[in-house]
Amino acid sequence: MFATTLETDHHTLPPLPTPPVADLRLLEEVAAATAGVSRLEMCIQCGTCGGSCPSSADMDHTPRQLFAMVRAGMRDEVLRSNTPWICVSCYHCVVRCPQGVHIADVMYTLKSMAIRVKLYADSTAPDFSQTFVDLVENYGRSFEFGLATRHYLKHFPLRLPGMAPKGLGMITRGRMDLTPHRIEGIDKFKAILARAKELEAAS
Amino acid sequence: MTKYLYYPGCSLETNARAYYISLMAICEPLGLDLEEIHDWNCCGATEYVGISLTPAYALISRNLALAAKQANGTRTVVAPCSACYLNLAKADYYMRESPKLGEKVNKALAAGDLHYTPGSLDVRHLLDVIVHDVGLDAVRRAVVRPLSGLRVAPYLGCMVPRPDYEHRWSNPEYPNELDQVLKALGAEVIDFPLKTHCCGGHMTQIGPPVAYELIRRLIHAASEYQADLMATLCPMCQLNIDAYQGEMNHFFGTYYHMPILFFTQLMGLAFGKEPQELGIGKELVDSRLALARIGVEVPEAEAAPAPRRPRKAKEGLPMPRMPEEKELIR
């Protein structure tokens, strides 16, 4: 009698869940887009990276978690994570990683991948990088006054009045130029970057 | 005089001008002949690599290509800025590790009639050159005004000792090279546990609270060790600890006052140079009190910005309040 009940139960069980769609090429893609040899495949999930990180408390995922997610092909979650944007490039994890994973460079790769598909929760960091780079591409040198004013107007307008005395202090001490410095070979410089961008788009 | 190719980097021309001025002042006593790379460009700091790989490495490598072209009698590039040093060293290393990257970069450089063969230059940091080429004995010999009695916290930050591709430092997390130089100047050097911890880097611009906490840890530790000042070799560290100290104090309601100078400025003082020749007075957190301990008088700085006071509420007497739910002992 028991046997029949069990058989009936078996027929009424819900179907097995379908596994989430995994993007198994993600790991390969991240590794290939990283400078040098990333060694990301070598990660043994020991957690030394997260334990060494000075800013992990502010991260959505520790580097270890993020790398597990890369392996699991969780593309959207990985690219939406704030972790690469909170990474301060201190290289503590890099020198401690027993597998020699180029963790900081993987973080740079994830940033550029998130920018490409515009998957980031907060635009402050990508905008800052982009403004910095725009100025560098224009002049060949960084231009801090332009960077500070543009960035603060867009993202921290309320911090501006409080910054004024400091900005003045920097200017009067000769630590901030009000005009940019343009390099001499700017045309060839721009040609190099244009060619590099074509090569990047083709890869 | 030993000749080197010199890559100053953008910071030394602007916010870290004091580093530039003081370095130029100590070149002669140290026997350093620094030949600037002509028409160098920005290294991209920590920003460009986070946007696009090939353009970022092409940007860095233009400097290496220019340096290699200019090299006459030397193949060593010296960079005083941490981010510049790391970027130049990193590009050279990764192009050797992954020849594909080197090929791509050289295709881009060809658009500007340049070429760089990875591995043809040695990229080194200024401190490395001072310790290993000039030598501590030569530093000691140049000292005419020992910094006796000045308690200094040596602070290197992240990007000089790490990742250290060429194994140039005694330790990537606790190197003692900067300590040795400062000791050779006669200073009382504290064993600073946070010497290679992070100052927050660009987080002061992106997520200030993250940076304030990192800055607070460093300044707190230096104060606990009763340092008179911190000595650094990184423009970013100097900027964050000096220019954001006021905001950090405001944020936490603290009253830290921890001046931070470049190690080259302290070397200049020990070599008998005057503060004005070393860019002393350009820092926002006044170092005059600290330097008075070694009998150095610094003229009053121009228009010192008024320090922002912490919020009133934190200065007032404690007021009675109702305990919150979680504080109640039941």
Side-chain angles (χ1 to χ4, degrees):
Chain A
M1 189 185 168
F2 283 113
T4 25
T5 336
L6 276 175
E7 255 172 45
T8 338
D9 276 359
H10 178 73
H11 288 293
T12 53
L13 280 176
L16 286 169
T18 42
V21 182
D23 190 345
L24 297 177
R25 288 216 43 209
L26 185 62
L27 175 64
E28 211 178 298
E29 196 181 316
V30 173
T34 304
V37 179
S38 76
R39 300 169 66 92
L40 183 56
E41 306 86 342
M42 304 279 284
C43 172
I44 52 168
Q45 291 287 300
C46 68
T48 303
C49 43
S52 311
C53 181
S55 50
S56 61
D58 296 295
M59 289 176 170
D60 292 341
H61 310 96
T62 63
R64 179 192 64 76
Q65 287 174 319
L66 196 68
F67 297 162
M69 288 156 62
V70 169
R71 264 188 202 165
M74 298 160 74
R75 186 180 292 263
D76 271 29
E77 291 88 338
V78 167
L79 296 184
R80 257 185 241 281
S81 173
N82 76 350
T83 300
W85 303 103
I86 298 289
C87 167
V88 285
S89 310
C90 73
Y91 295 88
H92 263 296
C93 55
V94 176
V95 294
R96 290 181 184 179
C97 177
Q99 295 293 86
V101 177
H102 291 172
I103 301 169
D105 292 290
V106 171
M107 294 296 171
Y108 288 131
T109 306
L110 293 174
K111 284 191 209 184
S112 65
M113 286 173 70
I115 289 178
R116 208 165 299 160
V117 289
K118 293 211 164 46
L119 272 185
Y120 37 77
D122 181 358
S123 68
T124 317
D127 279 355
F128 179 75
S129 295
Q130 193 60 56
T131 312
F132 181 93
V133 166
D134 286 347
L135 291 164
V136 169
E137 286 180 354
N138 250 313
Y139 302 114
R141 299 267 171 95
S142 84
F143 177 37
E144 286 163 2
F145 183 67
L147 177 64
T149 44
R150 276 197 216 175
H151 183 66
Y152 279 85
L153 276 175
K154 184 156 181 199
H155 287 287
F156 302 103
L158 296 177
R159 263 173 92 193
L160 269 176
M163 302 288 278
K166 183 172 73 190
L168 195 67
M170 294 290 280
I171 292 165
T172 53
R173 282 168 173 72
R175 290 179 64 179
M176 184 134 65
D177 289 337
L178 299 177
T179 49
H181 174 103
R182 197 188 293 270
I183 59 169
E184 287 168 31
I186 191 75
D187 294 334
K188 282 189 173 175
F189 171 82
K190 284 185 176 175
I192 291 172
L193 292 182
R195 185 85 188 92
K197 282 179 191 173
E198 285 168 24
L199 289 164
E200 180 71 21
S203 62
Chain B
M1 296 295 257
T2 320
K3 198 166 136 183
Y4 296 94
L5 291 156
Y6 171 57
Y7 179 83
C10 305
S11 289
L12 270 83
E13 307 240 302
T14 53
N15 70 64
R17 202 158 271 161
Y19 200 2
Y20 180 80
I21 298 171
S22 54
L23 172 58
M24 291 302 124
I26 61 167
C27 270
E28 210 207 304
L30 291 179
L32 294 173
D33 177 10
L34 303 181
E35 187 183 301
E36 190 168 324
I37 299 167
H38 180 68
D39 209 33
W40 54 270
N41 59 263
C42 170
C43 74
T46 50
E47 308 307 319
Y48 213 156
V49 270
I51 289 193
S52 193
L53 185 82
T54 316
Y57 280 84
L59 181 91
I60 303 167
S61 303
R62 178 180 176 270
N63 297 307
L64 293 171
L66 290 175
K69 212 166 91 176
Q70 193 175 325
N72 41 353
T74 178
R75 52 190 288 274
T76 305
V77 175
V78 180
C81 166
S82 310
C84 301
Y85 159 71
L86 176 59
N87 275 337
L88 295 170
K90 183 187 253 190
D92 190 49
Y93 179 79
Y94 282 164
M95 286 194 286
R96 269 180 285 153
E97 193 181 64
S98 153
K100 240 171 83 184
L101 176 69
E103 277 168 35
K104 235 191 231 178
V105 164
N106 271 315
K107 270 187 201 164
L109 288 179
D113 306 324
L114 288 172
H115 179 86
Y116 177 68
T117 311
S120 54
L121 292 171
D122 267 338
V123 180
R124 294 173 64 187
H125 187 265
L126 174 68
L127 179 67
D128 170 23
V129 165
I130 291 178
V131 173
H132 298 118
D133 288 9
V134 175
L136 294 171
D137 285 334
V139 172
R140 260 179 232 116
R141 276 197 299 274
V143 173
V144 294
R145 174 165 55 197
L147 307 180
S148 322
L150 188 69
R151 280 178 73 84
V152 186
Y155 178 52
L156 297 97
C158 313
M159 295 185 177
V160 168
R162 288 187 299 272
D164 194 17
Y165 300 111
E166 307 294 340
H167 306 290
R168 293 213 167 100
W169 305 100
S170 49
N171 188 304
E173 299 201 34
Y174 214 69
N176 60 10
E177 282 84 352
L178 184 58
D179 306 48
Q180 287 174 1
V181 170
L182 295 169
K183 276 181 191 156
L185 304 179
E188 199 182 314
V189 181
I190 64 167
D191 192 11
F192 189 44
L194 304 188
K195 62 171 122 173
T196 71
H197 280 228
C198 178
C199 71
H202 69 183
M203 290 311 282
T204 42
Q205 312 304 316
I206 293 165
V210 178
Y212 294 155
E213 170 57 20
L214 296 175
I215 295 170
R216 188 198 63 79
R217 288 180 200 171
L218 293 166
I219 294 178
H220 175 74
S223 313
E224 288 287 288
Y225 276 82
Q226 299 179 339
D228 294 316
L229 50 79
M230 292 168 76
T232 192
L233 43 69
C234 171
M236 185 83 248
C237 297
Q238 203 279 342
L239 183 71
N240 277 355
I241 288 174
D242 183 42
Y244 289 88
Q245 193 169 135
E247 270 159 84
M248 182 278 293
N249 274 330
H250 185 69
F251 185 78
F252 290 109
T254 49
Y255 294 92
Y256 292 109
H257 180 95
M258 181 55 63
I260 178 163
L261 295 178
F262 292 104
F263 78 110
T264 46
Q265 291 179 292
L266 294 180
M267 291 184 87
L269 285 177
F271 296 166
K273 307 273 180 201
E274 291 311 309
Q276 300 91 308
E277 297 173 82
L278 301 165
I280 291 175
K282 288 194 181 295
E283 67 282 357
L284 296 179
V285 177
D286 205 338
S287 66
R288 273 180 301 168
L289 213 60
L291 296 180
R293 294 175 65 90
I294 50 165
V296 172
E297 262 187 56
V298 184
E300 187 111 17
E302 334 78 79
R308 291 175 73 192
R309 312 295 297 180
R311 283 175 211 280
K312 260 271 164 348
K314 293 198 177 140
E315 287 174 354
L317 290 168
M319 294 296 283
R321 64 181 180 89
M322 292 301 288
E324 283 176 26
E325 191 63 26
K326 61 184 175 199
E327 291 171 307
L328 291 175
I329 301 159
R330 292 188 194 274

